Amino acid sequence: MIPIDNPKFDYKLFFQLSPDLLCIAGFDGYFKKVNPALSKLLGYSLDELYSQPINTFVHPKDQQITGQVRTELTRSKPLFDFENRYIAKNGEIVWLSWTSFPVEKDQLVFAIAKNITHKKSMEASRNELLANLTKMNSDLKQITYMTSHDLRSPVSSLLSIFTLLDVSKVKDTETLELLDFLKLATEQLKDTLDNYVDLLSEKHRDQSSLQEVNLTETLQKVMLTIDNLLKSSNAQIQFDFSEIDTIRFNKAYLHSIFLNLISNSIKYAKPDEQPIISIHSKKGNGFDRIIYTDNGMGFDMEKVKGKIFGMHEKFHHNSDSKGIGLYLVQSHMHSLGGKIEIESSVNEGATFTLLFRNHSSTRSPRKTKPQTVVFN
């Protein structure tokens, strides 16, 4: 066997045989060298790949962000886990995840990509299924309470009629017995409806278990989950939970809320501007509040009013947008009796205020200090 440091060792074989997608690109935006795996996946010959700008093969909706990322590479900033779509020669859309390193003196970028098309498809199906299940659960709960209200109202009306009847004027024994039977049956129906609704409410509380959730610990777990995304975006997160350090809520729901809000802030950050996120807690007026602010693209509230938390609603041009994140945030809040409010202007970021019913424990909050985390 030839030692790996032997001059006779042919490193080209690694490039040629690797199942991962390897390429060398120039700062001018053209491929300089690609391995057979990339050519085979996209269906283009080597001559076709070398003769046209790289953006020619990128999905039109991803060309702008890809161009911005390429500019960052020319400034000697490495790239990790950047995802974009390419269009193969047969028209199929291929999702790729890139890790790239620039070499400024040679005006070259060395990159490796993985085909994540199947993963993206699975994620989209999972997110849609989760959103649909959440919506179905919400709709069923709404129907349950609406039906119970609609049924109990006429039942209560019937009971009121019995109180207005002057049975002393009814001389027929059979009629009196019938009236007593109808009143008893109506009272039993009302009791059954009340018990049924109470049972449904109790089951819903059991399924959405409440507990004391530590805000700092939950946020730190979310940041660890999306560490690569935060680093690649050079995001800065400032948080201060000194006023309230825990809330009584569902831990999984709060994790999902933080995850979706932070992901959206990075996804919809202004081009060439560092995402800055501020999160702090506040107590008062019967609610514990988490106030979340970013400096992103923001929303035109006149245009999106009433639709901002709708399923599949999209307000910015972004290839990775599914219109599900904010829907889930609102669903989690509403399912446990909370509220969410938003203030925003175009290119001036957005502020989300999460209002949790005040179930704070009587113990004094732990001493916590404001923190700023910069990912780079």
Side-chain angles (χ1 to χ4, degrees), residues 66 116 188-189 230 237 267 285:
T66 301
I116 59 169
Q188 290 175 341
L189 177 58
L230 293 168
I237 298 181
K267 190 184 302 180
N285 298 326

Side-chain angles (χ1 to χ4, degrees), residues 345-356:
S345 298
V346 176
N347 290 324
E348 294 184 11
T351 296
F352 294 88
T353 302
L354 309 173
L355 298 98
F356 304 84

